[in-house]
Amino acid sequence: MQTPQQQPPPRPDTTIVIDGTTVTIPPGTEDSVAAVASRAGISLPSLTRRPPHQVGATAASQQRHRQATGGAPPWCNTAAVWAEFTLPGSPAGVARDAAAERAADMPKGTIVSFCSAAARDAQKRMLQTILDNHIGDCYPPCQMACPCKVPAGDFLRLVREGRYQEALLCVVERNPFSLVCGTVCPRFCEDACRRNVIDEPVNINDVKRFLYLYNRDNGRLRPTIQPPTGKTVGIVGGGPAGLACAHFLTRFGHKAVVFEGHPLPGGMLRYGIPEYRLSKVDLDDEINYLCTDFGVDIRCNMRLGTNITLEELKRDFDAVYIAIGSQLPTMLRFPGSDLPGVLGGVDFLEKVACGVPPPIGKRVVVIGGGNVSADVARSCVRMGASSVVLSCILKRENMPAHPTEIQECLEEGIKLDCLAQPMKIMQQKGLDGSDHLEIQYRKRPKTADIFDFAISIPGTEYSYVVDTVIIAIGQRLDTGLCNKLGIALNQRGNCIRVDPKTYAIEIGKTNPLQKCIGVFAGGDAVLSPVTVVQSVNSARIAASAINELLTTGVVNNQTAEEEFDSLKYYHSRGTLPELLHSQNSVLSGPKRVPYFSTTPLLARNHTRVDIHSPTEAPLTFTPITTPFDLKTAQNEASRCLQCGCGNPRTCVLRQVANSVGVESKTVIPVKPQALEVANEFIHRDLDKCIRCGECFNVCSGVRNVNAIEDMCSMRWNAVDTSTRNGKWSAHACESCGTCVDSCPTNALYPALKELSPDAVIASTCSYCGCGCGIQIHKRNGFPIAIKGDTSSDASHGQLCVKGRFGLIDYNTSKERLTTPLIRKNGVLVPCSWDEAMTLVAAKFSEIKARDGSEVIQGFSSAKVTNEENFLFQKVFRGVFGTNNVDHCARLCHASTVAGLATAFGSGAMTNTIDELEFADCILVTGSNTTETHPIIGLRIKAAAKRGAKLIVADPRSINLTAFACLHMAHRPGTDVFLFNAMMNVIISERLMAKKFIDECTENFTTFETEVGKYTPEAAELITGVLASDIRKAARLYATSSKSSIIFSMGITQHSTGVDNVLTLANLAMLCGQIGRPSTGVNPLRGQNNVQGACDMGALPNVFSGYQRVTDPAVKAKFERAWGVTLSSKVGNTITQAINLAYEGKIKAIYCMGENPMLSDPNLHHVEQALKRLEFFVVQDIFLTETAKLAHVVLPAASLFEKTGTFTNTERRCVRVQRAMAPPPGVRQDWEILVDFANRMRFHLCYANAYEILDEINALTPSYEGITNKRVNVKGLQWPCPNANHPGTPYLHKDGKFTRGKGLFSAVPFREPAETPSPEFPLLMTTGRLLYQYHTGTMSRKCPGLNRLAPTTHVEISTHDAEALGVRDRDQVTITTARGSITAVALVPSRVRVGVVFLPFHFAEAPCNILTNDALDPVAAIPEFKACACRITKAI
């Protein structure tokens, strides 16, 4: 007999030192050294966005790869985190992967360093391998070439997407002169454009010009301005640098005053650029847009040194900026250059601009070579000169003028004389006695150095006899003025000396009496004559430095490069010369794109439309080109190759490379991979992919979708197209975007451009009842992206496709209502708010006075905030003295409230979303959770993956059936029979919780007697579910330690809805599966604030907090609070109100945020009822199908435009934050209601939504502790009875029900109100899709969602389709006793034989025309989920 081996004693805690920090390692921990370091707050050079203990592909994925290839996965090394390990007693350390070393195995005293030379070398080697296979650009070459670093790729992408005003603000953020620079900039960006490799560069300038003009004609959207700081800055010079600095400072909140010496602002833009190149009307308009309209004070005819002194500026302003330009002409000094008739180019252009052009005669020589000389020469032609020569000492290709400008000179008849060295000018008398000038030249050798101006070739002399010589070789600073003012110059004495990083001349006070703490300078006065865009960039940097000085008292000495991007590592696909050199095919064969092989090679557009021909242009000073129209701008923007990375500042690969010290790298593509753009929301650039496995991990490990089939090839399952072609997979991409947010290199990126945000607002999603926390990313005041908020206890950073990609489109839709509408002569026409509200108040007052309050009905909304729902019911009850208030919960969960309140005393979800993951058994019935509540679906799938038993009871093979151990596909409407049969098994096999039943419940005997009638065999005949499966489900649910029930509208929307809910409550109580974590009965609310609308009393029988209107004490409490007499009569439900309106007994309805013309059953009946109303008001964000029937339509604010709270399906009250102002003419719902109440003489006064929540706290016991100070995105769960209460995660703890004891109900089975017949042989049920939402009012404003789910379809089983002769994609007609619609057939589908399924989102084929308006006798909820129909092929 063997003796058992003695177990070793437990190992004590050990300690290791990581980067100087002593860390304790508990024995037995499985964490790696990297994970331990991360938890200790030590920064690691990791390529993952997740904690190191979650890094790397899953064990299962690695095992699959090893089995297939016999080797380690290629992505494993990207999870490595190299460090130097020095063991106790070892003389030297060894570099190892800290992510692969188990911390518990480290000897005590081990020293780990992530920053040592050995660790850095190992990290560099790993990164070099990865970077050698990473092909991409951190920034596009066009942006890097632009002095202002304007992100051309970003704004061109926005133009292509139709986001024109966002695109303009993207430009103006770094260069406010979009129109000016779009007209006259020398196109640095276009010279660097990689499109040059293919054909011609993208015309970036003219797109910028278009954007300004589009914005001017469409509301003049402006950048946001910070609140006033009280600081003032005096700016000398109204040229581009001075005006740009004033603009930027104003945006920072400072007051800018510009002193300009000329009669008008603009500097060289006005006085140095001719009218034919830059319209002064356009210039004035842009100056007004950027400065005057922003509040910049521009004072003209105020010259420094003459009208105002520098000391006065220092005395009166907190800071001074000098931008006096270089407006004196630079003159060549050679014999005769000072003769009469020899002019300076700058002076000449200024006189022309001022309307006093000097006489020049017919023959002119212009000496120069830059853009100024070209402008002078072309102006001379327009002034009537018949012979104009432009001479330059350089070769043509070396001339500083832009090639386009040179070509236009030639086209206008100007002679170009290159390599011409002027020698002397002599004065001559003509035969007629007039004075002429003879200018003599010598030719320069072609090999002459461009900076050696004295070299010429003897014997090559020639001359021109002319009337005027204009020397236009440049301009210079007025150094005499600087010396007079004591402004220091640089070593060459030609520019103001400044700090090159901040453009500061002096910091601090030089005189105790002065106000100024800093003097700065910029523009041509500092840089010498440069382009407009270079001057603007210097002004932007100086403005940032001035702002920093004024707000913090110090200036950060960072370089312009550091200001642009603090990371020093840049990755590139190569410069233009490198790409051209690497591809012989570019020169010898057909041109090809060096990357992005699917980029369309569009032909060069005619991107410059000439107003005048080359022969007409010289005859006028009017502009020679016209701006792009919208179509041309979009076409040109679509030619952009989108070279740059989506968000280079957040690229993890770049951050790690920068921290490790890897030098910037260029990797020229050899065999570029195609962009993959089939997904509507997510695109892939596999050239950038480093095979890190992050997307694979989150898709399989977090989302449990497994859409990425193979890591090596990055092959994906297609997007779920079940809405289009009948195919379905539980592992198809759901376009949630989680992979995008996890990708460290932006190889996965959103299809629509997401810029880096300048502000992030925490709020809550407005789609389903999950209550997901969102972060609204904003830039320049626009929402640009939605990300999940990891601090949210409801969603933990996860979102579905609608939350991630479907919120911005509807909030910013151009279809938004922006003005009130009233019906005149049968047509809705715009009107003022006063006219609309006066009419509303007058009509409601008239009807109330004539017919009483009971003929008036209010429809509140599950889409608006708690505060607005509370206010709506308060206004209706206070103004009209009626309880005729209801909302759409009547159509979805009225039976839940009635049923659970009867059984438990509370009608809400009993447990939290998070608890589902830790249940041992989950019964999902009547809920297609992964499509209707996707984030709750994640928890259910995680539970199944952890080992929980998942039971799905649904007529369709929904997504969750792939994770279930049992699917019961019962016939719609037989839920009571199915669950009674399960309970029959539990009782007969004595699996019930007898102690719980005896101590915590009542009426069990009556219930037991009824359930005894429902054997599994009888249930099999009625439900279609095998008796064996019913028994299995019963045993699994009853015997599991923690079992949870999930249900939604597949249970509630029946004429037996309350019975269905009572049966589920019975099941939970029977097994004691309630009052504990991960148990309970959990209804999933369909809309974002259905729970909150019910909580706030938007129901006909209760005030807020479910305080009954029939309770005298409750009624008296609200009467005291509101100062009115209230009614104790229970009001009408929505369904009752529609019938009463049809009968003429309801005269007027006020509908806030509801769309009964799509959401209610039997729509023909609904339409007739609403048309019979005497007065109908709709308050909404869009002109919905319901609003089109109204007499008055009031435009309301959307989610992004309001502040308040929502209450999600788990009773969690969460914060909604305003992210942007409503469109002009739009009000928040509560503001409209206050206006209405005051006009009805029910006087209300709220400053904001916070004050309404204060009132809710005072009057609603369950919300008393959910105060403004406490509620945030994390939220609090009611009941929360006081300000110190933490909230209640789960209800009915230890069987202590709200009503006292849980009530068993004997629930007999009843068939649906309508069952199949020979005329209508099929049973129709309805529901939602992942890619649409509710009535489509919001989701159908998103083009991507519409393309994925474009129209109504009907799911038909293969058996039924064959019997009907219907094939996949056939057009079919679905008919019920109430009407017909046409839809696309999906065959095969997920439904059982005899059942068809239709989504109800689509107004063009509304399935609620077909549904039955038979009501549940208790909850008055219609029977949406079961009605008889027939299907025929459409003709």
Side-chain angles (χ1 to χ4, degrees), residues 886-905:
D886 205 6
H887 74 288
C888 70
R890 183 67 47 197
L891 306 176
C892 55
H893 275 285
S895 43
T896 294
V897 175
L900 294 186
T902 299
F904 305 151

Side-chain angles (χ1 to χ4, degrees), residues 704-707 728-734 941 958-963:
N704 286 298
V705 173
N706 297 299
W728 174 80
S729 168
H731 304 294
C733 175
E734 297 174 350
K941 290 191 288 185
I958 60 174
N959 184 298
L960 283 179
T961 59
F963 300 84

